[in-house]
């Protein structure tokens, strides 16, 4: 059955909206609903076989999420990450005014070590809200610290979330540009996050109480060995790339291409298992975020179908031709930010926009790196919303009394963050900075 591009566009947008609505209403994974729509649209409207639709499943993204979260899950389930965070908090508890910043630092450290933006809030959010209750600082600062620490590492491609983002963007703009975009977004979000914390900390400033915290018990041999394995894995992934940046040679080039995050994480998982540092079955069940993996994969499959049908190119071309180049960044930031208020970046926003980037860049003359950074910035600055994944994870540890304050504050500040940057990008567009 032949279908015009316009009809296909309407069906595609309707499928995404319906997948989100049906999944939310039925409390069913959105990715499963998205896969159903991919099959229905592909077979009914495009004349594809079921096998051809199945081939659109984003296998690389699925495998990357699975092996990365499984590997880091060993150090999480045996308490290695928790023990490291407890020690940092204990050593800095007397500097009461700096506690929100220490929490954010711990989140960044654990996330950079590989726990990622998905698992780290589970570890740090209860600690953050416990400190807020004990020291007496506003609980919104606790959730802000956890959220800032999480989003700051979204560009770290050796973490589960960063690896997913990398695998989504790199097929469309290339590995080199994706590397640069990842660095830029990390620097931007770190700067923005800590400036926001300073301002909001000043707004909610109050006299703080002394904190009574028992000295953490020493790390067990299992936890020490776990942290060593994690650090070695990070060095294997990072050092060759760093050396290659300054001195390209056959050895580090081979290591960079062959020792990918998938290979290193699988090898590390085997090491964890052989050394008996945790039960792999328990890690597989409890620490692999199956719900998020299926959501991202299902939405990716639907978007891949739209790309094959030419719908994504049509949207990109229409945006590029309809909106002046100097105002495209603010438009992309606004749309990504509004979407992020209610949906996750990695499961909906990135897969939706990634295939459009080449068309947007060609039509507007803007750098693909600028386009990607703008989309990622919009998708992350408003994810503080309590109904977005980032905001919801940040307030996991809040009690009922704290939750009332936090929900209101997160809604307010998420909107403020988005408005500030929409205005800023609008002014920069008027001044011709982007053209």
């Amino acid at each position: 059955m032949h279908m015009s591009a316009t009809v296909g566009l309407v069906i595609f947008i309707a499928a995404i909206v319906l997948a989100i609505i049906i999944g939310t209403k039925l409390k069913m994974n959105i990715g499963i609903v998205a896969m159903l729509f991919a099959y229905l649209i592909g077979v009914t409207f495009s004349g594809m076989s079921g096998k051809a639709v199945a081939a659109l499943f984003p296998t690389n993204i699925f495998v990357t999420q699975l092996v990365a979260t499984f590997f880091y899950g060993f150090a999480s389930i045996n308490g290695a990450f928790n023990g490291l965070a407890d020690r940092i908090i204990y050593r800095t508890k007397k500097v009461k005014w700096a506690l929100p910043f220490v929490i954010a630092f711990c989140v960044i450290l654990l996330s950079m070590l590989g726990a990622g933006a998905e698992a780290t809030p589970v570890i740090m959010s209860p600690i953050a809200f416990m400190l807020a209750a004990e020291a007496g600082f506003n609980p919104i600062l606790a959730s802000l610290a956890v959220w800032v620490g999480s989003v700051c590492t979204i560009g770290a491609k050796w973490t589960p979330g960063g690896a997913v983002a990398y695998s989504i963007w790199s097929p469309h703009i290339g590995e080199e540009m994706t590397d640069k975009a990842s660095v830029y977004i990390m620097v931007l979000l770190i700067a923005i996050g800590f400036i926001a914390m300073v301002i909001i900390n000043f707004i909610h400033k109050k006299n703080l109480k002394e904190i009574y915290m028992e000295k953490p018990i020493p790390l067990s041999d299992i936890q020490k060995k776990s942290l060593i394995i994690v650090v070695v894995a990070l060095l294997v992934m990072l050092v060759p790339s760093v050396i290659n940046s300054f001195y390209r040679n056959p050895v580090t080039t081979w290591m960079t291409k062959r020792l990918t995050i998938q290979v290193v994480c699988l090898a590390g998982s085997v090491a964890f298992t052989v050394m008996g540092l945790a039960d792999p079955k328990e890690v597989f069940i409890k620490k692999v975020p199956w719900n998020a993996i299926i959501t991202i994969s299902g939405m990716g499959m639907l978007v891949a179908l739209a790309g094959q049908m030419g719908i994504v190119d049509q949207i990109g071309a229409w945006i590029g031709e309809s909106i002046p180049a100097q105002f495209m960044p603010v438009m992309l930031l606004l749309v990504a930010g509004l979407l992020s208020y209610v949906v996750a970046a990695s499961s909906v926003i990135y897969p939706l926009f990634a295939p459009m980037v080449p068309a947007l860049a060609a039509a507007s003359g803007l750098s693909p790196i600028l386009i990607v950074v703008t989309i990622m910035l919009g998708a992350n600055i408003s994810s503080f919303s309590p109904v977005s994944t980032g905001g919801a994870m940040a307030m996991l540890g809040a009690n009922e009394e704290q939750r009332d304050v936090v929900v209101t504050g997160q809604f307010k500040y998420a909107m403020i963050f988005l408005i500030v940057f929409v205005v800023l990008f609008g002014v920069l567009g008027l001044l011709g900075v982007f053209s």
Side-chain angles (χ1 to χ4, degrees):
M1 178 179 178
H2 180 73
M3 177 173 52
S4 70
T6 304
V7 173
L9 176 59
V10 172
I11 292 175
F12 171 60
I13 293 174
I16 290 180
V17 173
L18 285 173
I20 295 171
I21 293 173
I22 293 172
T24 304
K25 290 290 183 181
L26 298 181
K27 295 183 179 179
M28 182 180 182
N29 190 285
I30 294 172
I32 297 294
V33 184
M35 287 185 202
L36 171 62
F37 282 128
Y39 273 102
L40 290 176
I41 296 171
V43 173
T44 306
F45 295 101
S46 294
M48 298 172 65
S49 66
K51 186 177 181 179
V53 176
L56 298 173
F57 186 83
T59 307
N60 183 52
I61 294 174
F62 179 86
V63 172
T64 299
Q65 293 177 90
L66 173 59
V67 299
T69 53
F70 182 60
F71 169 64
Y72 293 115
F74 282 91
S76 176
I77 207 165
N78 65 25
F81 287 147
N82 297 66
L84 183 61
D86 286 342
R87 271 153 185 72
I88 297 172
I89 296 293
Y90 180 77
R91 291 182 180 277
T92 57
K93 64 186 178 70
K94 291 185 178 180
V95 191
K96 298 187 290 292
W97 65 267
L99 281 173
F101 297 93
V102 173
I103 293 167
F105 171 77
C106 286
V107 176
I108 291 174
L109 177 63
L110 295 185
S111 187
M112 286 288 198
L113 280 174
E118 299 80 9
T120 306
V122 178
I123 298 169
M124 288 303 304
S125 186
I127 297 173
F129 283 100
M130 177 273 289
L131 292 173
E134 292 242 351
F137 61 82
N138 194 303
I140 191 65
L141 292 171
S143 65
L144 180 68
V146 174
W147 172 76
V148 166
S150 298
V151 298
C152 283
T153 61
I154 196 63
K157 66 179 182 180
W158 61 89
T159 67
V164 170
Y166 189 87
S167 63
I168 291 173
W169 296 113
S170 58
H172 303 285
I173 65 171
E175 293 184 357
E176 185 177 348
M177 285 191 177
T178 305
D179 283 333
K180 291 180 180 179
S182 299
V183 172
Y184 293 154
I185 193 63
M186 283 178 65
V187 171
L188 264 176
L189 288 173
I190 288 173
I192 292 166
F194 278 88
I195 290 172
M197 284 189 65
V198 169
I199 295 171
I200 296 173
N201 199 35
F202 179 78
I203 293 172
H204 296 286
K205 187 177 180 180
K206 59 166 70 172
N207 292 325
L208 303 179
K209 300 177 289 185
E210 292 291 335
I211 297 175
Y212 299 96
M213 182 179 178
E214 291 185 8
K215 185 177 181 178
I217 61 174
L219 290 172
S220 67
D221 286 340
I222 285 177
Q223 292 169 338
K224 290 177 182 177
K225 290 175 182 176
S226 297
L227 291 175
I228 289 172
I229 290 175
V230 168
V231 170
V232 169
L234 291 178
L235 291 176
V236 170
M237 287 187 280
L238 292 177
V239 172
S241 296
V242 173
I243 294 175
N244 238 17
S245 300
F246 299 98
Y247 175 65
R248 185 173 291 274
N249 62 87
V251 176
T252 54
T253 298
W254 182 91
M255 293 177 71
T256 302
K257 290 182 178 180
R258 301 294 186 273
L259 300 179
T260 63
I261 185 173
Q262 295 91 340
V263 173
V264 174
C265 286
L266 285 170
S269 299
V270 172
F272 273 120
T273 304
V274 170
M275 296 173 70
L277 302 182
D279 181 359
K281 291 182 180 179
E282 188 179 7
V283 175
F284 194 74
I285 294 170
K286 295 183 178 180
K287 292 300 178 180
V288 176
W290 291 108
N291 192 58
I293 289 175
I294 294 171
T295 299
I296 294 170
S297 300
M299 291 301 295
M301 190 172 173
L302 181 58
V303 172
L305 174 65
Q308 185 158 315
M309 294 166 61
I311 296 170
V312 171
D313 289 337
Q314 184 197 13
I315 297 174
W318 177 81
I319 293 174
E321 293 168 1
S322 304
I323 299 172
Q326 67 264 34
F327 294 118
M328 186 177 292
V330 69
M331 187 280 299
L332 293 173
L333 183 134
L334 176 61
V335 174
L338 290 175
L339 285 173
S340 181
Y341 215 76
V342 293
V343 297
S346 57
S347 61
V348 178
I349 301 172
Y350 296 168
L352 177 63
F353 280 102
M356 300 182 198
V357 174
L360 291 174
S364 65
L366 297 175
S367 164
I369 297 174
L370 172 62
I371 294 172
V372 170
V373 169
T374 301
I375 294 167
M376 293 185 75
L377 182 62
N380 283 282
I381 57 174
S382 62
S383 67
F384 192 42
S385 159
V387 295
S388 184
T389 304
M393 295 291 284
M395 65 176 184
L396 278 176
N399 58 38
E400 289 302 317
E401 182 181 351
Q402 292 172 323
R403 190 173 293 272
D404 292 337
V405 176
V406 171
V407 169
T408 303
Q410 287 189 192
F411 268 124
K412 178 177 71 175
Y413 285 118
M415 186 55 69
I416 289 173
F417 294 158
L418 182 58
I419 291 172
V420 167
F421 278 92
V422 166
V423 172
L424 175 61
F425 272 54
V427 171
L428 292 175
L430 284 172
L431 295 174
V433 172
F434 299 125
S435 57

